[in-house]
Amino acid sequence: MIEFIVGDRRMRLYPDGTITCRAIIRGKETKNGAWYGVSFCKTNKGYLYCSILVDGVKKGFLQHRLFHLARNPDWDIFDSSPNNCIDHKNHDKTDNTDENLRVVTNQ
């Protein structure tokens, strides 16, 4: 299990690909230590997408970007510039293994 941070949210990536996030009420983590599973839906382009409350604002994230952040904590998930795209080497949008993801420049 890899624990990582997205804004003010603690998250976990498990070996089976499940992602959970720490429960928050009124901007603070709950005292009971609850973690909730993150649900993903498929976009019209075939990517898996979720919405998470981060820093008090609901934000959307693509699953492969969360996987990459979990394994590369110095990477900036909020940088949406063309030189910070995540590519699936084998073009399988559901294969989010570390070996299959890389940062590329969108051309």
Side-chain angles (χ1 to χ4, degrees):
M1 182 261 308
I2 303 169
E3 192 164 315
F4 61 106
I5 305 287
V6 178
D8 66 346
R9 298 304 296 269
R10 283 195 299 153
M11 303 187 78
R12 290 179 175 168
L13 171 61
Y14 292 89
D16 67 356
T18 302
I19 294 181
T20 59
C21 64
R22 188 70 166 75
I24 288 185
I25 295 177
R26 294 183 198 91
K28 295 184 181 182
E29 289 187 352
T30 58
K31 294 180 182 177
N32 67 1
W35 290 81
Y36 293 104
V38 176
S39 297
F40 291 88
C41 59
K42 198 172 268 193
T43 68
N44 58 356
K45 292 186 178 184
Y47 293 101
L48 296 174
Y49 174 87
C50 70
S51 293
I52 303 170
L53 193 66
V54 175
D55 299 322
V57 178
K58 194 173 191 178
K59 296 187 179 186
F61 296 96
L62 294 170
Q63 187 183 56
H64 61 279
R65 291 178 67 86
L66 290 172
F67 274 57
H68 186 74
L69 175 65
R71 298 179 188 121
N72 302 278
D74 294 329
W75 179 71
D76 184 4
I77 195 167
F78 298 107
D79 178 1
S80 59
S81 65
N83 62 345
N84 196 37
C85 295
I86 302 298
D87 178 48
H88 291 89
K89 293 177 188 176
N90 68 2
H91 305 288
D92 178 353
K93 296 174 183 177
T94 61
D95 180 358
N96 294 315
T97 57
D98 195 32
E99 302 79 29
N100 191 47
L101 299 178
R102 63 182 172 193
V103 179
V104 296
T105 300
N106 189 9
Q107 298 179 23

